[in-house]
Amino acid sequence: MSQKPHLSFWQIWNMSFGFLGIQFGFALQGGFMSRIFQTLGADKDSLPLLWIAAPLTGLLVQPVIGYLSDRTWHPWLGRRRPYFLIGAVLSSIALFFVPYSPTLWVAVGFLWILDASINISMEPFRALVADKLSEQQRSYGFVLQTLIIGIGTWVASNLPWLVNQLGVSNQAAPGVVPPSVKLAFAIGAAVFLVSILVTVVTTREDPPAVWPEPVDTSEKASLPAEILHNIVHMPRQMLNLGFVQFFSWLAFFSMWSLSTPALTEHVFKAPAPDPAAFDVTVPAQAQAFALANGAYQSAADLVGSYTGYYGLSSMLVALLLSLYASRHVINRRRVHFVSLMLGGIGFLSMMWVPEPAWLIGSFALVGVAWASILSMPYALLSSSVDPRKMGISMGIFNMFIVIPQIVASTLLGPALRLLFDNQSIYALVISGLSLVLAALLLVRVEEPKAQVHA
């Protein structure tokens, strides 16, 4: 059994650089799709259900892409990179056109296409890190990947605000997405494609023949049967981590789908105006709508900007962890517990912030959890997974990401309406409690035996 070679910082950086574009796509989607939906006339309590396209596509796409990438070998592009490239092209097209949606249901359709395309690129990236790095370097690799994700989250979340500061308008007629959002999505589309190309061009994949145990691409089991078999026989470590992931991603999906209405209403006191409540043919009502819509769009810009601080925070946390992990062994379970608890406190604090600027601190705490969620579970899992099935295993593990999103999509809106008088801020309270519960569930997760540091 051959030892995987020790990779340099720049080799791991280039291998992970495509995640910058993937996170541009996710941050723009997570930070501004609800804003687009509301601009096109969606009620706030329908927003989680409109988001159901995203987790449904992930549930279907990720195990399939993992299965296929385990059995793919292209003489130029290797095993995982063909999927990076296909997903990047489709994602860039969807990102560019989604803010031009003429109706709500067109926007929902674009979200479906966008999320499926991002998943085609994203799922093999997790497997690539495990493919190329030895057990001693995996924590370092996943943390460095998280650093790049943090950079992407912070920059992309601030794009609409930034282009507005450069003179691009953040206001438009009723039912029209502002030019600042359109330009931000166009920039995101370009960054997505270019960053993926950097990884495709600079990273080499080893053919199956040089793996410790060659992959048998001649297996006759059907795709559904193979996926079902691996789900039924998943390692106990994966199942226990799955419960942690469930509540972790329930928290973040609640934030992505409802942070804009929650914070524009509760903190900024500038809710989205209902176009149907105004007769824009009457000058006074047209002016009233313009004032209300202007206040909402400006507040939504700031919500996006403040949300970006969780990306900045995660970037700094990942940088510190990467410096430590490059020289020492990390207790991954302990790091994850503390990080989730801090994130839970961050979400809960949003209910009581005295003024908007305090949201920076709240989102900074959320970013600590985000940095850990993107790295520690995969580092905890990878040593318990058959290296011949890394792609499909990571795809199945990611089902614990999309299932809670489906649950939130269907139940969060009714829960807020029936239990909390339709006050969206309670979605963020649910996020905080979910992260605290996820931290407590780590008691069932084993810390892999310490390895000699990289």
Side-chain angles (χ1 to χ4, degrees), residues 60-70 72 80 83 116 119-121 123-124 223 227 391-392 395:
L60 297 172
V61 168
Q62 291 188 6
V64 173
I65 294 299
Y67 174 91
L68 294 175
S69 69
D70 282 340
T72 295
R80 315 295 182 188
Y83 300 93
N119 276 292
I120 291 171
S121 284
E123 196 286 328
L223 187 152
I227 292 174
I392 190 172

Side-chain angles (χ1 to χ4, degrees), residues 63-388:
V64 173
I65 294 299
Y67 174 91
L68 294 175
S69 69
D70 282 340
R71 288 157 173 75
T72 295
W73 183 256
H74 187 278
W76 300 333
L77 294 175
R79 169 178 291 121
R80 315 295 182 188
R81 288 178 294 163
Y83 300 93
F84 302 167
L85 196 55
I86 293 169
V89 172
L90 295 175
S91 298
S92 297
I93 293 171
L95 273 172
F96 181 84
F97 283 107
V98 67
Y100 292 92
S101 302
T103 65
L104 177 60
W105 292 109
V106 172
V108 172
F110 267 122
L111 174 61
W112 199 296
I113 296 169
L114 175 60
D115 201 80
S117 303
I118 293 175
N119 276 292
I120 291 171
S121 284
M122 183 189 71
E123 196 286 328
F125 257 102
R126 300 293 190 193
L128 180 68
V129 172
D131 286 351
K132 292 188 65 67
L133 295 181
S134 64
E135 172 66 22
Q136 292 90 340
Q137 281 197 301
R138 281 182 186 166
S139 291
Y140 181 46
F142 283 119
V143 167
L144 196 58
Q145 193 176 83
T146 301
L147 172 62
I148 293 172
I149 290 171
I151 295 170
T153 301
W154 180 55
V155 176
S157 296
N158 280 283
L159 271 179
W161 173 84
L162 178 61
V163 298
N164 176 242
Q165 297 303 302
L166 295 175
V168 181
S169 176
N170 69 350
Q171 299 188 42
V176 178
V177 176
S180 60
V181 177
K182 292 177 179 177
L183 181 56
F185 273 68
I187 294 170
V191 172
F192 199 123
L193 186 58
V194 170
S195 63
I196 291 288
L197 287 174
V198 169
T199 291
V200 169
V201 170
T202 61
T203 301
R204 182 181 67 87
E205 293 187 78
D206 294 325
V210 303
W211 275 52
E213 296 182 37
V215 176
D216 182 4
T217 58
S218 65
E219 295 177 8
K220 300 300 182 182
S222 67
L223 187 152
E226 179 73 9
I227 292 174
L228 181 60
H229 174 82
N230 282 276
I231 291 173
V232 172
H233 296 91
M234 72 173 64
R236 180 174 295 275
Q237 178 84 333
M238 181 186 289
L239 181 61
N240 291 337
L241 276 167
F243 288 110
V244 178
Q245 290 287 80
F246 180 94
F247 289 101
S248 300
W249 286 87
L250 179 68
F252 276 87
F253 183 82
S254 299
M255 180 192 77
W256 293 327
S257 61
L258 285 168
S259 62
T260 297
L263 298 176
T264 53
E265 291 175 9
H266 184 76
V267 178
F268 289 88
K269 313 301 182 185
D274 180 5
F278 297 85
D279 183 355
V280 294
T281 63
V282 177
Q285 292 200 37
Q287 184 180 13
F289 175 83
L291 289 173
N293 188 53
Y296 166 72
Q297 297 293 350
S298 296
D301 275 350
L302 286 173
V303 169
S305 180
Y306 289 147
T307 302
Y309 279 93
Y310 91 85
L312 178 61
S313 172
S314 70
M315 178 179 68
L316 295 175
V317 170
L319 178 61
L320 293 174
L321 285 174
S322 65
L323 292 173
Y324 187 88
S326 66
R327 295 173 174 82
H328 306 283
V329 175
I330 289 178
N331 186 303
R332 290 164 275 195
R333 187 173 67 165
R334 186 178 303 158
V335 167
H336 202 37
F337 175 84
V338 173
S339 300
L340 292 176
M341 292 296 289
L342 290 174
I345 293 169
F347 275 125
L348 292 171
S349 70
M350 295 178 192
M351 181 74 178
W352 296 283
V353 292
E355 58 183 50
W358 286 66
L359 289 172
I360 294 173
S362 298
F363 278 112
L365 290 175
V366 170
V368 177
W370 184 238
S372 189
I373 288 168
L374 293 175
S375 55
M376 293 301 110
Y378 298 95
L380 285 163
L381 174 69
S382 59
S383 60
S384 65
V385 170
D386 183 345
R388 298 170 301 172

